[in-house]
Every structure is written in C-alpha cells, then in structure tokens.
Amino acid sequence: MKMFSISWKLFFIFSILWIIPIIGWYGSLYLERELEEFSIVENKQTAKHHHSFYQKLLKEDDAFSRQLSQTKNPKEVVVAQRVGPILIDGYADEWFPYNDNQLEARNDNVASKLTLVEDKNFIYGLLQINDNNVTYRLNPYTSTSSDMLRLDLGYGYWLFQAIAPGRLKVQKEHGNGFKTISSILAIWQETKSGYAIEFRAPKSLAGNKISAVLYDVDNEGISSFDEKLQGVFTFTDFSYFPLSRELNNRWLVNNELQQNQITLINSSGQVVLQFGDLFSDESYINDYKNKKIINDAFTKEVIEKGSFFSVKNGENLDFLSKTGHQLVLNGEAVGSIIIESSLLKEKLFLAKLRWFGLLIFSFIWLVLMVLAVKQIKKYRARIAFLNELTEQANEADAEAVNFSELEIYGNDEIDQLSHNLIYYNERLEQRREHQKKLLARLNHELRTPIAIISSSLDNLQLSDLSDDDLELVNNARSGQQRLSLSFNRLSEANRLEESIDQVNLDWFDVSSLLETLVSSYENNWEHIKFNYSSDTNKYKIYGSEDLFAQMLDKIISNAVDFATSNTPIEIKMYRLKGQLSLVIENQGPQIKAGSLRNIFNLMESYRSDKDGSNLGLGLYVAKLIARRHKAKISALNTQDGGGVMIQLTWKKKSYLVVT
C-alpha cells in the first residue's frame, strides 16, 4: 500500500466495500433456501392436517362423500367459482375455464349452452345460442314475440328479451305483469351461429335451484307464444335442478389460503373441488396457470402409494411443493387431497430487496467515490505544489525558493503543513546565513593568528633548540598547516557550491556523454578495465555536461582508489520501474552500514590518510552536482559482499527517453 498513490489507495478501500453487498446478496440466497425448506415442511404439515380433516368429513357428511363419487347426479348443476376477471361484454373469451360445467339444450340438432359462475358478491351467466334467424322485439312497449331466455334461480323467472344487440333490460315476472331489475347487468351480442347473452346479478337474487327455458321465434309477427310457436328448448326438462355451488365449500377451511391451493380429486383423477390462492400476484397468474393443473403422473403416484411428495425448484421464482394423500372411505380409496404451496410472494420480495439494495448501495458508493476522488484531486494538486517547492528547495538548498509566497487555501492538515514549511524555511535561512557569516568571520579572524603562529614557529626553528624542542615545534607546525588547510577547504567548498548553483542548465544526451567519458577513463587508467553497459534506450537529463563530467570524474576516481587490483569497474545505466539509474561499482573493501549515508558529507573521509590532506571534498562536490541534476545519490555495499557501488537515480519527470 505504501507504493500506491492516494487515489489508488482510496479506490482499493472502496473496492473492499463491495464485500458488503456481496455478503448481503449471498445472505438473501441463503435466506431463500431456508424459506424453501420451511415451505416444504409447512406444506407437509398442512397436507397432514387437512387430510385428517377431510377423512373425518367423509364419514360424517354424505353430501361431501357424494361429491367424491365417480357417478355424478345428472340433475345437479354446478355453479363454478370465478378464478379470473369476467368482463360483461357479451363475448365468451373469459369463460374457457368453466366449459366442464355447461348445461346444454338442443336446437335443430345443434347444442345451445348455459354456464353459471359466482364469486363472493355476484353470480355470472353466459348463454350461447345457435339460431339461424335471430328475432328481436319491435320495441319495448309491444307484446310481439321474439327470441328470449326465461331463467329462474329460485326466486322467480327473469326474462332476457332484446330489441337490438347491446345492453338489455332484464325483467322479472311480477303478478300478471313484469318489473325491470336494474341491478342485473346483461349484454346481448350476435354471433356467427346465433347470439350470446352475458349477465351479472347480485347473489342475493339467486337461490339454490335453477329452471331455464329458451324460446326460439322465427316470425316476429306472432303475438303470443301459445300460437304457432316455432320452438321451446329447455335446459332443465321443465323442472328445477339443484345448484351445486363450489363457493359454498369454502366453509371447509377456517381461513383464506394464501400461496396455498387445495385440490380434491375423485378416484378417476377428476377435480371435484379446488380452492386457495396459489399465486397472490395477479401478474403471474397467466404465466403459472398451467402449473396449477394437477398432472396425471403425480396423481397416479398418490393413488398407487397412498401419499406422495414432490418439489419443483426451477429458475427465478418457480418453486412449487406438492403433497398428496389418499382419501379412504369404508376401506376403499374414493379420492385424494393435494396441497400445493408456492413462495412467489416471498421470492418476489427478496428479488426486489436484492436489486433495490444493490441499486441503493451502488448509488451511495458512486456518490462517495466521486466526492472522495474530487477531494483527493484537490489534495494531490496542493501536495504536488508543496512537493515541487520542496524539490526546488532541495536543489538549491532552500536559498532559491521563497516559501513566503506560498498560498495553500483551506483549514486542514495541508494548510498546517504549509505554515510549518514556511516556518522551517525561515529557520533554515537564518541558520545558513549564520553559518556563512560565522565561516567568513572565522576565516577573517583566524587567518591573522594562524599567520602569527606560523611566523613564530619559523623563528623558533631558527633558534638553537634541542631535538625534543624541535619535535614539539614540528608537531605545532603540522597542526597549524592542517588548520589552515581546513579553512581553505571550507572556503573552497562554499565557492564550489555557489558556482554550481550559478551554472546554466539545459537538456543533454547523457548516454552519449557516458560513452565518451568511459573511453577517456580507459586512456587515463590503462591498468584498469571499465565495463560500460546500457539498455537499448537513449536518455536525456536536464543539467550541464561539464558539471556532470566533473561529478563522474570524482566518483570514478574514488572507485579507482578503492578498487582491488586487476578488478574491473562496472558502469551501468538502465531504467527500472519508471526510474533511471546510473551505477558505478568496484570490487574492494566495503563501508560500514552505519557510515554509508555519511560518505557524501563535507570533511568526511574513510581513506587511510596519514598526512591529513584529504578532507572528503570529492564526494561532497559529487553530491552537490547530483542534486543540481535532480538526481538522488547513494552508496551501497554490493550484495555479494565484494565491493561498493555508487548509485544515481532520476525520477520519471527528471529524464527523457530519446526514441
């Protein structure tokens, strides 16, 4: 993490945050599997409970046992329970689920059909008539005959008689006359084979029996049905049939079944009763309506084995668990009860929750990421500005940069850092100014005493002194010369530093310069072998060719002095991880690890210097020139322990690759 920029670190941290939605996603999948397991257990328990209930009901309720019998009462008319919306428009497109419960009458050897359906509030009817000549009433106020339906659901006859296709008024026989029933909605529509009547009536108007007669008139001039009546077709043989209403069987369960469906079938596999809401979401009814049908294979397994369980867990929301038990009466199998359970509601909720949570997290993550990156860009710009100033200060030893002009807006850590840099710069300038003044003052104040000491020592040597006295004088002269040399070197270093800072800089080809310098080194030190190697690229750096040559001369001279005889000096230039490196390596004695950083300091030397003439000025000057060329100079012991290498490193922005 230390090698990455702030932006990459931030991106890495934000990437880790995606563990949260991933854990949530897989957690919801785990919850979904747990719900499926719970649904299976609950389905089996529900089936067991209802099986016991219906077994008891078979023994105590003769009407219920007759419903499961294979032979059906021919005079029983089934009023089916509505399973979908019915639009009263005179067409039969919503009535296909109830085709098994139709009453039929013959008209010219072609069947006409009557179908009844109910829900909690209304009873619905559909009359499909085959008629080669549809006859309407002339107007509402005439008594001429016309095609019509006469229907009695237990509380008197209703007359469906139209003067034209469309909505018609339903009338009820009242004494010797008729009374319009406004609460009944009825539509008359012509069809290719005749006409159809569709109606809806409140359940309060329907009883528990039915009698229905169809009148067919082909001559609208007949004034009465008693005269020249073309045809009377009855659905109930002029008698009343009992109504078997499926909705009345809902008392068999104590509450509404949500996402569960109970199906009772007789021994031949026919559905006798079916109630419950397997799929609570209306939008999925059409997609799953075929799955609500009990298949023959499952029914066969229940009949053969007495009880059977299966589960279907398909893709997405498709999960159905079914348990079937055989119903037995007097030792004989009379039917089966099948309980179906779905998890559509829960799975829909979990799916919506998953995607909604992912969407919310993605939005929050994106907003935070944008805000954070935007803020980081501001920080990076301010830090880059500070970094540029500090690099300039490092190159010029803080003398050529005016930190007092630095403006960093914001009340934060970077603002505090800028103030600290300004304070540090002021202290540094004061210190350097004090050092310069001190050095100049010492040089001025001490040269006269040193000269006096030197002349006094000269006079003493002219005197008649003993050998011991002469040795003391010589020692004093040696100290005086060393002190004088130190002041000279300090003055020289100060002048060198000032002269280096004043040299004009420009881009130059360092690769070509190195090849030229290595060739000259081979001529100067014929007994030393120089191995120069470089990658295939050519490089340019910003600086001075003369200063660079002086720096390399001092480094090479230092390497030659310390190299073991008959060993080569390696000079390598290469680029690694975006940095350009120049390495000068020699075999010889190594430097103590604690002293590697100090060899470039002024008056720091590790030579065996008996006369004290060497004060470590060479590598110090090399450091000044390297810094002027925006290079970092360092000393390292070789990994094999056989020598020392001096390395100069340039950052990416401090060099150019020549193509």
Side-chain angles (χ1 to χ4, degrees), residues 367-471:
V367 170
L368 291 178
M369 191 71 175
V370 170
L371 292 177
V373 170
K374 187 176 180 181
Q375 190 64 31
I376 286 298
K377 285 183 178 179
K378 293 182 179 179
Y379 281 142
R380 289 185 64 183
R382 297 161 73 194
I383 293 174
F385 183 49
L386 287 174
N387 187 52
E388 184 68 25
L389 288 177
T390 53
E391 285 185 358
Q392 293 177 14
N394 181 55
E395 293 168 8
D397 255 356
E399 292 183 347
V401 179
N402 186 5
F403 279 98
S404 62
E405 297 180 358
L406 180 65
E407 292 183 356
I408 299 292
Y409 299 103
N411 187 18
D412 53 17
E413 293 83 355
I414 298 179
D415 180 60
Q416 184 65 38
L417 176 62
S418 65
H419 285 87
N420 291 337
L421 284 174
I422 293 173
Y423 174 74
Y424 171 77
N425 179 67
E426 293 175 351
R427 293 289 302 274
L428 182 62
E429 289 181 350
Q430 293 173 3
R431 189 182 215 178
R432 288 185 58 82
E433 188 66 25
H434 176 72
Q435 289 176 345
K436 288 181 179 180
K437 290 180 179 179
L438 179 62
L439 180 61
R441 186 173 185 135
L442 287 174
N443 190 35
H444 175 75
E445 295 292 338
L446 294 180
R447 283 195 181 277
T448 301
I450 290 174
I452 294 173
I453 292 172
S454 178
S455 62
S456 299
L457 291 175
D458 291 339
N459 293 330
L460 283 174
Q461 280 188 328
L462 297 176
S463 302
D464 187 12
L465 300 175
S466 64
D467 293 339
D468 293 336
D469 293 335
L470 286 174
E471 183 177 357

Side-chain angles (χ1 to χ4, degrees), residues 17 106 135 186 313 336 354 399:
L17 292 179
R106 288 293 167 179
T135 304
N313 190 5
S336 302
R354 275 196 294 263
E399 292 183 347

Side-chain angles (χ1 to χ4, degrees), residues 134-145:
V134 180
T135 304
Y136 296 99
R137 294 179 64 182
L138 295 178
N139 58 68
Y141 309 105
T142 64
S143 60
T144 56
S145 299

Side-chain angles (χ1 to χ4, degrees), residues 40 42-48 298 302 307-310 321-325 337-341:
I40 291 172
E42 186 179 37
N43 177 265
K44 291 180 179 180
Q45 292 177 347
T46 303
K48 184 178 179 181
F298 183 83
V302 175
S307 64
F308 190 68
F309 169 80
S310 72
S321 57
K322 293 190 293 186
T323 303
H325 291 288
I337 177 173
I338 297 175
I339 309 294
E340 295 177 281
S341 301

Side-chain angles (χ1 to χ4, degrees), residues 238-298:
F238 297 100
S239 62
Y240 287 93
F241 285 179
L243 292 177
S244 175
R245 304 167 75 165
E246 287 187 357
L247 194 61
N248 292 344
N249 291 307
R250 294 189 68 87
W251 63 270
L252 296 174
V253 292
N254 295 326
N255 56 353
E256 295 287 338
L257 293 176
Q258 296 294 332
Q259 301 194 135
N260 287 277
Q261 181 172 266
I262 297 178
T263 303
L264 295 173
I265 61 175
N266 58 24
S267 57
S268 63
Q270 296 174 332
V271 176
V272 177
L273 290 175
Q274 190 175 66
F275 46 87
D277 191 5
L278 189 58
F279 301 103
S280 57
D281 195 323
E282 291 288 338
S283 62
Y284 282 82
I285 288 178
N286 292 331
D287 295 336
Y288 284 86
K289 62 186 178 184
N290 293 328
K291 297 182 176 68
K292 295 172 67 175
I293 300 174
I294 305 299
N295 60 70
D296 294 337
F298 183 83

Side-chain angles (χ1 to χ4, degrees), residues 61-72:
D61 193 329
D62 294 336
F64 178 65
S65 62
R66 283 197 305 271
Q67 286 184 295
L68 288 178
S69 63
Q70 295 187 34
T71 57
K72 200 170 184 180

